[in-house]
Amino acid sequence: MKTDVLVVGAGPVGLTLAVDLGRRGVRCTLIEKKPAPEFLPKMERCNARTLEIFRRMGLAGQIRAAGLDRHVPMDVYIVLAMNEPPLLRLPYPSVAEAEAEIARCRDGSMPREPYQLISQYTLEPLLKSVAERLPAVSVRYGHEFLCLSQHADMVSATVRDPEGRSIEIEAQYLVGCDGGASPVRKTLGIELRGDGNLLRFHQALLHAPDLFERIPIGDGPGRGRHYHIADAQSTFLIMQDSTKHWTLHAVVERPEEMAAQFERTIGIPVPYTLLYVGEWKQNLLLADHYGAGRVFLAGDSVHLVIPTGGLGMNTGVGDAIDLSWKLHATLEGWGGPNLLGSYEIERRQVGDRNVGASRYAALGRRKWRSQYRPDIRDATPEGQATRDNLARVASVEQRKTNEMIGAELGYRYVGSPVIWEEPGGPEHLFREYIPTTWPGARLPHVWLREGQSVHDVIGEGYTLLRLGGSKSDTRGLERAMQAHHAPFTTLTIDEDAARDVYGYDLILVRPDLHVVWRGNTEPSDPGQVAAVATGH
Ligand SMILES: Cc1cc2nc3c(=O)[nH]c(=O)nc-3n(C[C@H](O)[C@H](O)[C@H](O)COP(=O)(O)OP(=O)(O)OC[C@H]3O[C@@H](n4cnc5c(N)ncnc54)[C@H](O)[C@@H]3O)c2cc1C
């Protein structure tokens, strides 16, 4: 069997890659060893950048419809138990509130789309059904990748099919999106480095249909998302997208302890069913390489972070989207050799920074948890002092987990062979996002007419933005881009808002909305800019 791209692993990253390749018309096969998506808890928060990406893929509406109701806020609480007044409440907007804030924002500092809470067990079947409707994509569950061999012009994978037979799949390129244990990465002999197995949690998935309406704290019943329990077991409870399912995480010895831990956490009697108990480990690991030859790696196969900060799947979706258009360009023939070569350079640095951001958030979490003392529940002055102190430290440290807008939107590719580098560049900040068009950065979202963003009017190929009534002659750059047969458009935007935020008259943006080049007049050597942009 032959295909252009073989994607191994139908987690959220492999599914996103397959859908994006498929909608670009790239023939691809997605194999997954599980017979079907599983109803098991993992991620639940797609961040703002991921929603911007899903918007460009035409999926944001479906994902919002399947996810958490847009009016439920994302407040985070630190509590002794959920039936007691909170020690700390950190309010975060609902999607509806965040959309209203974004609608008012005129300085480019906010994303086009806010986050969306959607559980991984909802997202995966949704993306699977989208992939299955794309004529270019063949989706095969129950197919396990076993090994591969690389040749000059193709890669061949041995796969076990649902009947247990070994079949060969030949592809131009193979992408391992096969998770932390990645057999594809191991086949390539690529190591993960960093800190593994830092802390081991038990996780329970519970169906507690009444709990959301009955939580006695907050601005109304159930109006929160994360409930961290100030205890010795680092317990936390996370609301899932239906508001009827919850995941409980705790450092306990045995899975049988999770039911009692849940009852202690909620503190009120509600009917519930324990659906699953498993274990997961905290890791901060990054792969030495993001592939070799015709094989690439994306998602958890190359970076494992602590879920604090929600940078696991979200970083992987960024990998998928960086790789997808580069594979398409290379297969179409207009992408030069540096395009695929730039994948590791661009995405490994983001993986590295996000492992760092996750460490920073996790250390914050650990710091406030270390203020726990066994007297925390005592009705004594000492008990009160312990509670006050923990809340004071947490009001600084817990924010590190929940306020990561810089890591989400502000990543900029440095040292990439397909970006026209300007020396220097703004600092990479985790907590703060300062809009910039520095080459390598994501083009900030700026409103044009009511309800329409610059992001929305940029097409699938390269775009040269002409801003602020620029009269520059850009025909040289246009000709140079066309000479590479790359999809290319010139877009004139006269509204001042965009010129004010972007700071330049001319900006060359690539298909993933990252800036390649900027200037106020045409570059002196447009041929060289076009060659860099297209990877030649
Ligand atoms: C408790 C918890 C909460 C989290 N919360 C968040 C969050 O809010 N936001 C966030 O961004 N991230 C979060 N994460 C991390 C997130 O779940 C992962 O980063 C994400 O699942 C990675 O996606 P992936 O597609 O790379 O890998 P996976 O989801 O691991 O998918 C890999 C797929 O490959 C398949 N596979 C493996 N081997 C083979 C083989 N030999 N052949 C074929 N298929 C194979 C597997 O069956 C699996 O389906 C959380 C993680 C945990 C544990």
Side-chain angles (χ1 to χ4, degrees):
M1 192 200 135
K2 289 190 180 182
T3 187
D4 285 336
V5 181
L6 176 62
V7 180
V8 178
V13 175
L15 285 159
T16 301
L17 177 61
V19 171
D20 202 57
L21 288 169
R23 71 183 196 92
R24 291 175 192 280
V26 176
R27 204 164 54 108
C28 75
T29 298
L30 172 65
I31 56 165
E32 165 57 53
K33 71 175 176 186
K34 291 181 297 206
E38 288 172 336
F39 193 76
L40 290 179
K42 257 177 128 182
M43 58 70 58
E44 81 286 342
R45 182 178 182 268
C46 291
N47 72 25
R49 179 63 185 137
T50 298
L51 256 292
E52 285 185 349
I53 289 167
F54 286 146
R55 178 183 178 85
R56 283 183 71 74
M57 293 168 69
L59 300 176
Q62 285 178 62
I63 287 173
R64 291 209 188 281
L68 181 71
D69 181 281
R70 60 200 301 277
H71 297 289
V72 177
M74 295 284 275
D75 293 4
V76 170
Y77 289 95
I78 294 179
V79 296
L80 293 173
M82 287 164 76
N83 63 337
E84 296 184 40
L87 301 178
L88 180 72
R89 171 187 170 221
L90 297 175
Y92 293 105
S94 65
V95 166
E97 289 163 344
E99 281 172 346
E101 265 182 68
I102 290 170
R104 287 191 295 272
C105 176
R106 290 286 175 267
D107 64 3
S109 65
M110 299 199 86
R112 171 64 184 89
E113 291 278 348
Y115 73 87
Q116 175 65 47
L117 198 141
I118 178 165
S119 303
Q120 192 155 333
Y121 54 67
T122 310
L123 183 61
E124 285 183 8
L126 187 155
L127 293 175
K128 173 176 180 275
S129 69
V130 175
E132 283 167 342
R133 286 198 299 272
L134 289 164
V137 184
S138 163
V139 179
R140 295 169 175 237
Y141 276 63
H143 284 69
E144 183 181 7
F145 164 86
L146 298 176
C147 59
L148 64 84
S149 57
Q150 294 212 52
H151 309 276
D153 56 352
M154 59 103 173
V155 49
S156 175
T158 308
V159 172
R160 187 169 20 235
D161 77 4
E163 283 74 45
R165 294 176 303 220
S166 276
I167 56 169
E168 291 295 314
I169 303 182
E170 286 180 11
Q172 302 278 321
Y173 298 98
L174 183 151
V175 188
C177 303
D178 47 350
S182 180
V184 174
R185 189 194 65 241
K186 288 176 183 157
T187 306
L188 299 177
I190 295 174
E191 302 274 336
L192 287 175
R193 284 185 210 281
D195 300 318
N197 210 352
L198 290 164
L199 193 60
R200 189 180 284 264
F201 278 86
H202 275 92
Q203 174 178 218
L205 176 65
L206 302 115
H207 184 231
D210 304 344
L211 179 59
F212 179 71
E213 297 301 334
R214 293 187 46 199
I215 297 169
I217 58 176
D219 286 344
R223 296 179 69 79
R225 169 210 178 199
H226 276 181
Y227 298 84
H228 297 276
I229 313 304
D231 64 6
Q233 290 79 36
S234 299
T235 306
F236 55 100
L237 187 72
I238 301 181
M239 182 182 63
Q240 298 297 315
D241 54 10
S242 67
T243 73
K244 302 198 183 322
H245 291 90
W246 300 77
T247 55
L248 181 77
H249 303 255
V251 181
V252 295
E253 287 295 314
R254 292 173 304 114
E256 301 78 47
E257 295 171 52
M258 290 301 277
Q261 195 73 11
F262 177 66
E263 288 170 20
R264 262 197 301 279
T265 295
I266 60 173
I268 47 170
V270 293
Y272 74 89
T273 315
L274 190 62
L275 300 174
Y276 158 89
V277 181
E279 272 192 285
W280 65 276
K281 291 174 279 181
Q282 290 189 339
N283 295 299
L284 290 167
L285 295 167
L286 182 69
D288 291 343
H289 292 287
Y290 273 34
R294 293 181 163 270
V295 180
F296 298 91
L297 297 161
D300 272 21
S301 70
V302 275
H303 42 74
L304 285 168
V305 299
I306 299 175
T308 40
L311 292 170
M313 179 215 66
N314 287 303
T315 308
V317 167
D319 299 340
I321 231 63
D322 187 85
L323 189 54
S324 170
W325 72 270
K326 292 175 180 174
L327 284 168
H328 175 225
T330 308
L331 287 163
E332 285 238 304
W334 57 264
N338 286 344
L339 265 194
L340 285 176
S342 71
Y343 168 67
E344 173 172 317
I345 297 168
E346 295 187 347
R347 292 308 301 174
R348 190 173 179 280
Q349 59 183 276
V350 176
D352 194 17
R353 286 196 293 269
N354 286 355
V355 167
S358 168
R359 184 190 308 278
Y360 163 84
L363 287 175
R365 183 86 67 90
R366 197 181 302 170
K367 187 162 176 189
W368 74 253
R369 284 213 173 268
S370 72
Q371 309 306 311
Y372 166 82
R373 301 285 177 273
D375 67 1
I376 197 156
R377 296 183 145 274
D378 292 358
T380 60
E382 292 77 17
Q384 187 61 48
T386 298
R387 291 190 287 279
D388 291 348
N389 182 51
L390 185 137
R392 184 180 54 77
V393 176
S395 73
V396 176
E397 299 297 331
Q398 177 59 33
R399 290 177 195 278
K400 294 179 178 173
T401 292
N402 303 110
E403 297 167 21
M404 280 282 192
I405 189 74
E408 292 178 10
L409 298 182
Y411 57 88
R412 178 170 59 82
Y413 300 137
V414 181
S416 168
V418 297
I419 300 287
W420 191 264
E421 285 270 304
E422 289 180 20
E427 202 184 336
H428 292 275
L429 302 169
F430 299 149
R431 299 281 297 278
E432 219 181 315
Y433 171 64
I434 300 167
T436 178
T437 54
W438 203 283
R442 156 195 164 277
L443 185 78
H445 146 65
V446 176
W447 289 119
L448 297 173
R449 286 162 293 281
E450 201 56 47
Q452 209 179 22
S453 161
V454 174
H455 285 196
D456 297 335
V457 295
I458 291 180
E460 297 281 330
Y462 292 87
T463 304
L464 179 65
L465 296 177
R466 294 174 62 101
L467 303 159
S470 167
K471 300 279 181 285
S472 286
D473 180 0
T474 52
R475 282 173 298 178
L477 186 54
E478 288 164 15
R479 271 196 302 272
M481 288 299 292
Q482 280 149 7
H484 287 286
H485 305 291
F488 172 78
T489 319
T490 301
L491 187 64
T492 300
I493 295 176
D494 287 328
E495 279 143 280
D496 291 341
R499 174 63 179 82
D500 291 349
V501 172
Y502 295 159
Y504 284 80
D505 288 348
L506 302 173
I507 298 180
L508 180 62
V509 182
R510 42 185 231 187
D512 59 358
L513 291 184
H514 282 259
V515 175
V516 180
W517 168 88
R518 62 182 181 174
N520 288 321
T521 54
E522 194 177 50
S524 55
D525 189 347
Q528 218 182 333
V529 171
V532 164
T534 53
H536 290 89

